[in-house]
Every structure is written in structure tokens, then in C-alpha cells.
Amino acid sequence: MAFPRLAPAIITLVTRGEGDRQQALLARGANFPVPMFSCLAGFVEPGENLEQAVAREVEEEVGIVVDSIAYVASQPWPFPHSLMLGFTARWVSGDIVCDTTEIAEAHWYDRDDLPMIPPGISIARRLIDDWVYRR
């Protein structure tokens, strides 16, 4: 029996600041048909570990350097036969500069002023909800 190749994917909630003043970086994908904002995501490349993939994807997509990368949870992801691995990371440096082939826009958001975000079934929503209620 042949099994499909698993393509690991990562999704990351990046934060900056401390306590009640902490903000989360959310982005709208260039192909999102509605103005929904989510965490940054991408695929693990051959030869890199998960933390390297997180740092690379964040920097490629929005020009931000991160550290304190921490695994949170995983979720089966049907496209393309993937496993989505959820992480958090902390902003270290950089201003938002979107790679417009992948990201239409990205902004820092306060907990009480979030845009439209993914539904509760998604790992992105879990990452965001965990951050909102962690304070």
C-alpha cells in the first residue's frame, strides 16, 4: 500500500511587547477572497528543522526577524496531504515588508481590536485565542 508523502507545514503567531500591551502580527494572504487575517504559514524545506522553517517563513513573508520559537499543537491539513504544526514566536527586529506574491497586507493588532480571523476549527484560531485569553 502506498501512502501519500507528508508535506509538513508550519503556522506561527508572532507577538511583540509585553502584558496587556502585547500585539500579534496577523496577515491576509494574497489569495484570500475575503478580508480574513490569520497567522503566517508555510512549508518546511528539505534540510531545515521546524524552528528554522518558522524563522525563514516569517522573514520571507513579512521581513520580520523572530526568536523564542515554541511549538504549541498540530492539526491534520488536507492540502496537500499535510500536517500543520502550530508555533508562537517573538518579534526581535524589522518592519513589516510584505512579499506581495503571498501576503496582501499584514499589521500588528491589539487583543481587543482584532480583524476577521479564521473559524474555531482551525489551528490558526487556536493560536490566536490562546494569545487573547493568556494576557
Side-chain angles (χ1 to χ4, degrees):
M1 174 183 208
F3 293 98
R5 185 176 76 80
L6 183 66
I10 54 92
I11 187 160
T12 309
L13 181 68
V14 178
T15 60
R16 72 174 181 185
E18 300 296 330
D20 288 342
R21 300 180 69 111
Q22 191 175 58
Q23 295 179 308
L25 178 63
L26 300 177
R28 184 172 66 85
N31 297 319
F32 281 15
V34 295
M36 184 176 306
F37 286 74
S38 189
C39 304
L40 298 170
F43 291 98
V44 178
E45 297 290 334
E48 68 184 356
N49 64 38
L50 298 173
E51 294 82 4
Q52 290 168 330
V54 167
R56 178 188 50 76
E57 283 289 344
V58 171
E59 190 165 8
E60 285 178 1
E61 291 186 357
V62 294
I64 300 293
V65 176
V66 297
D67 71 2
S68 301
I69 298 166
Y71 172 79
V72 176
S74 65
Q75 175 182 18
W77 204 251
F79 176 78
H81 305 292
S82 192
L83 178 65
M84 185 68 77
L85 302 157
F87 291 85
T88 58
R90 186 176 59 104
W91 173 89
V92 172
S93 66
D95 294 321
I96 297 171
V97 178
C98 296
D99 171 356
T100 56
T101 61
E102 294 192 40
I103 304 296
E105 58 182 310
H107 307 283
W108 293 104
Y109 290 95
D110 295 324
R111 285 179 172 92
D112 59 355
D113 191 30
L114 295 175
M116 180 190 302
I117 56 176
I121 193 169
S122 71
I123 192 166
R125 181 60 177 262
R126 176 178 174 185
L127 294 170
I128 295 166
D129 285 350
D130 285 355
W131 171 73
V132 166
Y133 298 114
R134 186 173 54 235
R135 295 207 178 238

